[in-house]
Amino acid sequence: MSQTPIHWADPARATACAGWLGACAPQLQLAPDTLRAASADASFRRYLRVDGGGGRSFIVMDAPPAQENCGPFVQVAELLHQAGLHTPRVLAWDEAQGFMLLDDLGQQLFLAALRDAPAAEADALMRDAISALVQMQLRADASALPAYDDALLRREVELFPTWCVEREFGIRWNADQQALWTSVSQQLIDSALAQPTVFVHRDWMPRNLMVSTPNPGVLDFQDAVRGPIAYDMASLLRDAFISWEEERELDWAVRYWQQARTAGLRVDEDFGEFWRQLEWMGLQRHLKVLGIFCRLKHRDGKPSYSADLPRFFAYATKVALRYRPLAPLLRLIEPMSGPMTQTGFSLR
């Protein structure tokens, strides 16, 4: 079997992992010599795969404690499991060393499946993601989660001027430009805070959903918060790594809105207002992600994420063109994005 080799920057950590995995091996009939790379993400965590008895495989999370706190992962995994979501169970955890053994939910991400799928198959996958989202919002207990409050929303959105505007593009805003930014960002924050609050995964997107049985498998949930109801649907429709025609976005948004209302979730009775909330929430997220991707490049030495900056400038431009209160944002982003003149359905 072809295996992706594992690179260990610290040989002592490789030794520690081997010792811990060896101690876990008897219970699940693990074969430590099959340990191989599975995936990595934008944090300091990475994931390895190891074979076990009965033809099963398992995931090893490698999360150095100095950089990653795994406590929220364990807490949120249990909350989602109680809500009936398909999430990996925590089978073993060495908190001191930052190693965790998890169920393996499969090897195909929604992202890869959606990129290759015919329209009908893509629609079926997105419907599964929407149904699971409604279930999570309805049944997952968010009471103990951090609040997606004014301070957190503001910290996130300010990543855009700090890392994208100034660091990536070397632009310094004058007082008038800063005033425009303050006005637009405050309106986005106010819109988010006015929404009903639910369990928010915070990265409910195809890269964090697995094609599995039951479908989907849900990953990367450790940053969950209690926050705006439109946030996760905005994440699903306006993704970091795949984009859709707006006709399909609207179809899926209506499907979510109808399911949510039927289930008793407090979405706005007017779909047009819910769509506005979703778009404004998405814009807050997109500005944040523009900042995060530039920070990954300049601070963390991960330049590949910056290749997707044009996608997020396009998202931001589309929404700013559509709503008059957000139009001033266009003057701030055009020096970085270039002219993008795609119009929306209306200007409200």
Side-chain angles (χ1 to χ4, degrees), residues 14-28:
T15 301
C17 183
W20 169 77
L21 194 60
C24 296
Q27 181 180 1
L28 296 167

Side-chain angles (χ1 to χ4, degrees), residues 114 117-128 248 251-252 255:
L114 287 167
E121 292 181 17
D123 187 61
L125 288 170
M126 291 293 279
R127 290 186 187 196
D128 283 348
R248 301 186 81 184
D251 179 71
W252 289 324
R255 187 170 301 278

Side-chain angles (χ1 to χ4, degrees), residues 13 45-47 61-77 90 92-100 102 221-222:
R13 187 153 185 83
R45 291 182 303 274
R46 65 172 175 172
Y47 302 91
M61 180 195 292
D62 172 24
Q67 286 87 28
E68 296 292 336
N69 174 16
C70 290
F73 182 97
V74 175
Q75 175 199 13
V76 178
V90 179
W93 179 26
D94 186 327
E95 184 174 4
Q97 296 193 98
F99 299 121
M100 192 179 294
L102 306 166
F221 41 72
Q222 63 280 339

Side-chain angles (χ1 to χ4, degrees), residues 30 52 142 162 176 178 211 220 235 271 316 326 336:
L30 302 180
T162 301
D176 289 342
Q178 184 61 49
V211 178
D220 205 19
S235 303
F271 175 75
L326 306 180
M336 296 170 281

Side-chain angles (χ1 to χ4, degrees), residues 113-245:
L114 287 167
R115 282 175 171 165
D116 298 334
E121 292 181 17
D123 187 61
L125 288 170
M126 291 293 279
R127 290 186 187 196
D128 283 348
I130 289 166
S131 295
L133 174 58
V134 171
Q135 178 179 343
M136 181 182 73
Q137 293 178 334
L138 187 67
R139 297 178 56 185
D141 181 5
S143 60
L145 297 179
Y148 216 160
D149 58 11
D150 181 282
L152 179 53
L153 289 161
R154 196 173 304 278
R155 282 199 304 274
E156 288 185 342
V157 82
E158 286 301 321
L159 294 170
F160 174 67
T162 301
W163 288 98
C164 186
V165 178
E166 295 182 11
R167 187 66 180 272
E168 175 71 10
F169 290 94
I171 295 173
R172 294 273 182 175
W173 286 337
N174 60 33
D176 289 342
Q177 291 170 317
Q178 184 61 49
L180 289 177
W181 168 252
T182 299
S183 174
V184 169
S185 59
Q186 185 62 55
Q187 290 179 83
L188 295 177
I189 292 170
D190 290 344
S191 177
L193 293 175
Q195 294 179 36
T197 58
V198 292
F199 189 110
V200 176
H201 178 287
R202 217 164 158 201
D203 269 318
W204 191 266
M205 59 185 186
R207 199 179 183 189
N208 292 328
L209 301 174
M210 300 293 301
V211 178
S212 61
T213 303
N215 203 37
V218 181
L219 307 175
D220 205 19
F221 41 72
Q222 63 280 339
D223 294 325
V225 291
R226 185 178 72 257
I229 196 168
Y231 189 95
D232 281 335
M233 195 60 196
S235 303
L236 182 65
L237 295 183
R238 304 262 169 94
D239 182 35
F241 305 102
I242 187 170
S243 300
W244 305 100
E245 295 295 327

Side-chain angles (χ1 to χ4, degrees), residues 299-335:
R299 189 191 71 179
D300 301 333
K302 298 182 178 182
S304 63
Y305 288 88
S306 63
D308 281 289
L309 295 183
R311 186 191 309 275
F312 285 92
F313 278 122
Y315 285 148
T317 298
K318 180 165 69 173
V319 176
L321 277 167
R322 181 169 292 164
Y323 301 95
R324 283 195 175 90
L326 306 180
L329 182 64
L330 295 168
R331 297 189 319 206
L332 299 179
I333 64 176
E334 192 167 274

Side-chain angles (χ1 to χ4, degrees), residues 41-83:
D41 58 29
S43 72
F44 292 95
R45 291 182 303 274
R46 65 172 175 172
Y47 302 91
L48 313 173
R49 181 171 277 111
V50 64
D51 293 335
R56 298 175 64 193
S57 60
F58 300 88
I59 295 296
V60 173
M61 180 195 292
D62 172 24
Q67 286 87 28
E68 296 292 336
N69 174 16
C70 290
F73 182 97
V74 175
Q75 175 199 13
V76 178
E78 180 59 24
L79 292 174
L80 292 177
H81 177 72
Q82 291 175 1

